[in-house]
Amino acid sequence: MFRLMLTTAIAALPYAASAQEITVGAANMAPYLDPGRDHSNVGSQFYYNSFDTLIDRDHTKLEPEWVPALATSWELIEPTVMELKLREGVKFHNGDDMTADDVIFSLNRMMQATFPPYVVRAKDRLGNFTHAEKIDDHTIRIHAEREEPLWETLISLQQVMIIPEAYTKALSGDPEVAEDSDYEAFALAPVGTGPYAIESFQPGEKLVWARFDDFWGDRAPLARVNVVQIAETASRVTALKTGEADIITNLAPDQLSLVDSDPNLKTEGSATALFHVMIMNQNHPKLQDPRIRKAMSLAIDRDALNEALWLGKAVVPSSHTMVEMGALHQPDLVTFEYDPERAKALLEEAGYDGFEITYDTAATYYTNGLLAAQAIMEMWAAVGINGKVQVRDKWSGNDPEMMARNWSNPMYFADPFGSFGVMWAPNGPSQSEGRFNTDADYAEKWERFRFSTDVAARKEAYREVMERVKDDPAVLPLYRPFESWGMKQSVNWAPMPGHIPYVLDFRAGSISLADS
């Protein structure tokens, strides 16, 4: 069976790449490509090559340094109004000129969303923006409801990448009206302004980028990029070794020696700006007592997981914080810790009678996800928790019967709001799916954190939010996984510190081939 799977995967790959063409063997391929609706780890790989935002950042740097993109300049003309000047001469991949109307359409499709997937994304990160308006052919304004401490950060999000209005509206139904069916169709035939056009897309299987010669910026260094899903790690490594792939994604540390020992190959990696987390259902009838969930958390030796699964290369946090958050990084907070004796005492206090606690995981979606789940069951057993792993490839986070499961919590942008907040803010996805509860006290703390323009005030409010999480846990960040990519020696590429996780950035200055 393994030989059949491997043969099938490699057969889908193109022949050896030309001097300006590469093939990427990816662990996963997105089911659709729409930067507005997507916020998955899989999807985040694929947008930066084909789409642009109004404001970009220098991705070679950890600290944000904002640079012009589809806007050449911007200024705050009122505390709640930003004015932006648009770049002239920009073309979409279908040949249309980018206009101010396209920009307004793109922004308002998110800020005044009616398409249900956009509504979700607008709510969890763009809720403070009311609308965008056209001032003239090269000037727009974006309006916020309240004074916004994160203007550039939020205007540079993937979700507000610019798409063509007329093209999108004409995909189905009335070409004068933006309908839900238009957005569904766009996700399968996307068009942007980036250096690579999407030449072909087979959902869940394959994506082909082709250089866009009319790109407004520096010429793309590659003529074509073929991205093919190869789900099994061993199959990806084999494809790299046989020359059928030039880059492969999602290598676990115990696989690195298989690549690095080959003189024709190498690896690049980093601790990803993302947490693998355990989530717990506060509303499951058997888990409503926070002492049981505290025990589930305190029983997990995350340092041991790091050593066993990541060879010590992952980053284990004491709180929900990352160095990428700059001034808001708070490594001194101790929200999560390992204390098996305390876990045992809490279980006894709560009257835990040995009932089974299930832990859901997908088989291959998360690197080392299944292995971590199995190890956690042993750690639970050591304090007296009767745990059971359930392998479920379907998302169960919105299932009221879900007790615990693994998930990932990426840094969608470099701020605690862009990581913890996107998932755990009041009325955010975790609460909306029924497994997390907030109240007026939590909301007050969150409001002070989210909208204060004073960094010290934001830090203190976030500290208070973390205390609430400690007292009534619904999440445990396990670690920032050390994700690696394997590649030929002739490929000069590495993940950049300023990107959100997993981005395959093949723009000018990001990749070069020794033989091109």
Side-chain angles (χ1 to χ4, degrees), residues 36-309:
R37 71 188 289 184
D38 202 345
H39 80 153
S40 67
N41 301 333
V42 172
S44 66
Q45 301 175 94
F46 304 121
Y47 295 107
Y48 190 65
N49 289 326
S50 291
F51 296 90
D52 295 303
T53 49
L54 294 170
I55 302 171
D56 202 359
R57 61 178 286 180
D58 183 343
H59 296 287
T60 66
K61 300 176 180 178
L62 194 61
E63 290 293 323
E65 182 177 309
W66 306 112
V67 297
L70 295 181
T72 56
S73 65
W74 55 93
E75 64 174 328
L76 209 58
I77 61 172
E78 296 178 23
T80 59
V81 182
M82 177 176 279
E83 183 171 282
L84 302 96
K85 296 294 184 180
L86 302 181
R87 186 178 300 277
E88 299 182 38
V90 175
K91 284 191 175 293
F92 287 106
H93 298 147
N94 67 337
D96 290 351
D97 293 324
M98 186 196 79
T99 68
D101 293 319
D102 294 304
V103 174
I104 297 303
F105 167 76
S106 300
L107 297 176
N108 284 340
R109 90 188 197 281
M110 302 303 302
M111 296 173 183
Q112 300 178 329
T114 56
F115 180 47
Y118 291 171
V119 172
V120 175
R121 298 285 74 82
K123 181 180 177 182
D124 65 25
R125 65 204 73 183
L126 296 169
N128 189 37
F129 297 110
T130 60
H131 68 287
E133 66 169 329
K134 176 181 175 180
I135 303 303
D136 59 43
D137 287 346
H138 306 297
T139 309
I140 68 146
R141 289 180 182 172
I142 299 173
H143 295 258
E145 183 175 355
R146 299 172 60 174
E147 189 171 357
E148 175 56 66
L150 298 169
W151 271 104
E152 286 89 350
T153 298
L154 297 175
I155 299 305
S156 69
L157 292 184
Q158 167 198 301
Q159 284 70 32
V160 286
M161 286 173 163
I162 304 304
I163 67 174
E165 179 179 18
Y167 169 84
T168 303
K169 288 180 176 179
L171 287 170
S172 72
D174 186 344
E176 301 300 318
V177 179
E179 300 163 295
D180 288 359
S181 55
D182 292 324
Y183 297 127
E184 293 286 2
F186 182 87
L188 300 178
V191 167
T193 59
Y196 296 92
I198 295 170
E199 184 176 84
S200 65
F201 173 54
Q202 296 168 251
E205 297 180 20
K206 184 178 180 181
L207 164 67
V208 178
W209 281 305
R211 179 190 290 137
F212 180 51
D213 289 329
D214 288 330
F215 177 54
W216 58 267
D218 294 335
R219 184 173 185 264
L222 303 174
R224 181 170 281 99
V225 180
N226 310 282
V227 187
V228 180
Q229 182 179 20
I230 307 175
E232 297 294 331
T233 302
S235 300
R236 292 197 299 281
V237 173
T238 298
L240 184 63
K241 283 180 169 290
T242 59
E244 300 293 334
D246 301 282
I247 301 176
I248 59 174
T249 74
N250 298 86
L251 277 176
D254 63 355
Q255 302 290 317
L256 298 182
S257 61
L258 295 176
V259 176
D260 286 328
S261 62
D262 188 321
N264 297 312
L265 306 175
K266 62 182 177 180
T267 59
E268 296 283 356
S270 65
T272 307
L274 165 149
F275 289 125
H276 283 184
V277 301
M278 174 181 71
I279 59 175
M280 297 162 280
N281 186 353
Q282 291 181 330
N283 294 315
H284 192 283
K286 293 189 174 182
L287 299 183
Q288 289 179 344
D289 189 328
R291 292 173 295 185
I292 294 177
R293 284 179 273 110
K294 285 184 185 179
M296 293 163 62
S297 178
L298 290 165
I300 299 175
D301 187 344
R302 296 172 299 148
D303 289 319
L305 291 177
N306 181 15
E307 292 298 326
L309 301 178

Side-chain angles (χ1 to χ4, degrees), residues 458-487:
R458 294 191 76 213
K459 290 177 71 172
E460 176 55 32
Y462 191 65
R463 180 185 294 269
E464 294 175 30
V465 169
M466 287 297 101
E467 283 298 314
R468 283 290 305 266
V469 171
K470 184 175 185 177
D471 291 341
D472 192 6
V475 59
L476 170 67
L478 298 173
Y479 37 67
R480 291 179 55 172
F482 189 91
E483 294 281 10
S484 297
W485 292 256
M487 64 200 74

